[in-house]
């Protein structure tokens, strides 16, 4: 596949979809970029197609054009769905986004069952179980190829730690495990490279800020949506890591919310070694502090409930 990744973005006209598509179009790793949405894709695709990079861009509008958008894809990224407004939790998006994700992933299962599926649409803690159940229904489920994109939590943790310690954020790496909502977001500051130390009160504030960083943006945007530009960056970072690994690069590690046997929760985010066929090895939680162990224990009930909600949703579908 060397530098010839065929990538589809579903929800490509949205706040995340447009800048994410721009970053993908700007990459030498991508040779074909297919953009799907229920609105505005002809314009977005025409606009991006004038950029002087190799990736061929094409827009697809409405459900009857979705199959052609997906055929032959190596990677599908899904930021389609409604974002939060002030006062909403990610779970408040469930009713709308569950149907959108189930519909779009059913089309993936039919038209590009071998592709890597990267879900951005919230609530990620439920949309990943939804995707897995949809793929199972179609008999094409491969847990190594379905990823809940939590990269923005890592990006934020890196940025905030760098700010506090006056480091270059590009050189900071904080693994973030668990899920992608409130207290299920568990930054492992004890595993940060370079090693950093904080007094307990500062650590608690830092972790709280990472967990609520999405809400910080929702409040600042005051009704105009949630994180879009930083999410586009994070989504592109995840796709580039995945494509690098698919191209044979070794030692590529990213955290993502995936099917997991690392805890007694059936889906969990941990650092993953990526390879040609998706997850090559789950690197697990590793050694963590007692404070972090407590956070993991406290996240379990909410995570399990969100997972069950997603699974039940697909089971109840006709
Ligand atoms: N994983 C994360 O860290 C993270 C971070 C930020 C936002 N999000 C989530 O990403 C999603 C998108 O956010 P946004 O700010 O881009 O929203 P947005 O409203 O700006 O864009 C959503 C896009 O999805 C499209 N869409 C709606 N239904 C569709 C369907 N059935 N098929 C195809 N496209 C459809 C809309 O037309 C729109 O263009 C939200 O669910 C949000 O909560 C996730």
């Amino acid at each position: 596949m060397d530098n010839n990744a065929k990538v589809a973005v579903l929800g490509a006209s949205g706040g995340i979809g447009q800048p994410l598509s721009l970053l993908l179009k700007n990459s030498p790793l991508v040779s074909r970029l297919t953009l799907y949405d229920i609105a505005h894709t002809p314009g977005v695709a025409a606009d991006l197609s004038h950029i002087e990079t190799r990736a061929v861009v094409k827009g697809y509008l409405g459900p009857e054009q979705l199959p052609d958008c997906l055929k032959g894809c190596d990677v599908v990224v899904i930021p389609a769905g409604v974002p939060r407004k002030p006062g909403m939790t990610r779970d408040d998006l469930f009713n709308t986004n569950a149907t959108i994700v189930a519909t779009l992933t059913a089309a993936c299962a039919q038209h590009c069952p071998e592709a890597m599926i990267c879900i951005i649409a919230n609530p990620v803690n439920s949309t990943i179980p939804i995707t897995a159940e949809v793929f199972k229904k179609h008999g094409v489920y491969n847990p190594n190829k379905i990823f809940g994109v939590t990269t923005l939590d890592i990006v934020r943790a890196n940025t905030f730690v760098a700010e506090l310690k006056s480091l270059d954020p590009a050189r900071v790496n904080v693994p973030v495990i668990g899920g992608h909502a409130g207290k299920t977001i568990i930054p492992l500051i004890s595993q940060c490279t370079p090693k950093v130390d904080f007094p307990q009160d500062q650590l608690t504030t830092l972790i709280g800020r990472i967990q609520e960083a999405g809400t910080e943006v929702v409040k600042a945007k005051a009704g105009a949506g949630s994180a879009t530009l930083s999410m586009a960056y994070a989504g592109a970072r995840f796709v580039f890591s995945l494509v690098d690994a698919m191209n044979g690069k070794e030692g590529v590690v990213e955290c993502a919310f995936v099917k997991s046997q690392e805890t007694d929760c059936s889906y969990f985010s941990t650092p993953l070694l990526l390879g040609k066929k998706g997850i090559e090895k789950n690197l697990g939680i590793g050694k963590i502090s007692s404070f972090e162990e407590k956070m993991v224990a406290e996240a379990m009930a909410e995570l399990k409930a969100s997972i069950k909600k997603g699974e039940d949703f697909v089971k109840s579908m006709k």
Side-chain angles (χ1 to χ4, degrees):
M1 197 185 77
D2 283 355
N3 298 344
N4 276 321
K6 298 182 179 64
V7 181
V9 180
L10 314 185
S13 306
I16 297 167
Q18 291 203 37
L20 173 61
S21 300
L22 171 62
L23 294 170
L24 295 171
K25 169 65 176 146
N26 198 39
S27 168
L29 296 172
V30 179
S31 67
R32 190 187 83 182
L33 185 59
T34 50
L35 306 180
Y36 175 78
D37 203 299
I38 50 172
H40 309 309
T41 34
V44 175
D47 191 355
L48 285 176
S49 73
H50 292 179
I51 293 175
E52 52 178 353
T53 55
R54 195 168 55 97
V56 176
V57 185
K58 202 167 166 211
Y60 298 82
L61 188 67
E64 55 293 335
Q65 295 189 3
L66 181 54
D68 283 341
C69 173
L70 295 172
K71 280 175 195 157
C73 276
D74 303 302
V75 179
V76 180
V77 200
I78 308 188
V82 289
R84 286 189 289 161
K85 290 197 159 40
M88 286 172 90
T89 67
R90 293 181 178 87
D91 190 57
D92 292 333
L93 305 171
F94 186 93
N95 288 343
T96 312
N97 289 357
T99 307
I100 294 174
V101 169
T103 308
L104 295 176
T105 54
C108 296
Q110 282 175 276
H111 301 290
C112 55
E114 296 292 321
M116 306 288 168
I117 310 294
C118 310
I119 308 283
I120 293 172
N122 272 316
V124 165
N125 293 355
S126 301
T127 53
I128 293 309
I130 288 174
T131 303
E133 292 305 313
V134 166
F135 269 68
K136 281 182 205 169
K137 267 196 175 178
H138 286 83
V140 291
Y141 178 50
N142 180 347
N144 295 326
K145 294 185 169 183
I146 295 175
F147 303 91
V149 180
T150 60
T151 318
L152 183 52
D153 300 319
I154 291 91
V155 165
R156 287 166 169 158
N158 294 346
T159 303
F160 300 164
V161 166
E163 269 171 27
L164 290 170
K165 295 292 182 189
S166 302
L167 296 166
D168 173 0
R171 293 179 175 278
V172 177
N173 183 29
V174 181
V176 181
I177 65 167
H180 177 68
K183 69 177 188 304
T184 72
I185 298 171
I186 304 165
L188 300 182
I189 306 296
S190 72
Q191 291 183 5
C192 177
T193 51
K195 193 166 167 29
V196 290
D197 279 308
F198 295 98
Q200 187 60 42
D201 59 335
Q202 206 183 0
L203 183 65
T204 307
T205 307
L206 168 65
I207 288 170
R209 186 174 178 214
I210 296 165
Q211 291 173 330
E212 291 305 314
T215 306
E216 194 179 297
V217 178
V218 170
K219 278 189 188 151
K221 290 198 174 178
S226 60
T228 55
L229 302 171
S230 51
M231 182 60 239
Y233 167 83
R237 168 180 146 170
F238 185 78
V239 171
F240 298 151
S241 290
L242 195 55
V243 171
D244 275 340
M246 291 164 81
N247 284 338
K249 185 171 171 187
E250 295 192 359
V252 180
V253 175
E254 289 283 356
C255 296
F257 188 67
V258 297
K259 183 82 178 124
S260 170
Q261 269 126 38
E262 301 305 312
T263 66
D264 65 347
C265 211
S266 52
Y267 295 82
F268 203 83
S269 176
T270 43
L272 308 167
L273 179 65
L274 301 174
K276 289 187 175 170
K277 294 177 179 166
I279 302 173
E280 191 147 309
K281 187 168 184 241
N282 193 318
L283 301 178
I285 297 177
K287 190 172 171 299
I288 61 176
S289 69
S290 54
F291 178 65
E292 290 161 351
E293 269 170 18
K294 193 160 157 276
M295 287 197 287
V296 172
E298 284 173 357
M300 284 296 165
E302 180 180 334
L303 265 179
K304 285 180 185 170
S306 302
I307 291 165
K308 184 167 185 309
K309 192 171 174 181
E311 290 175 341
D312 288 348
F313 175 80
V314 178
K315 282 181 192 139
S316 71
M317 280 166 57
K318 297 187 268 14

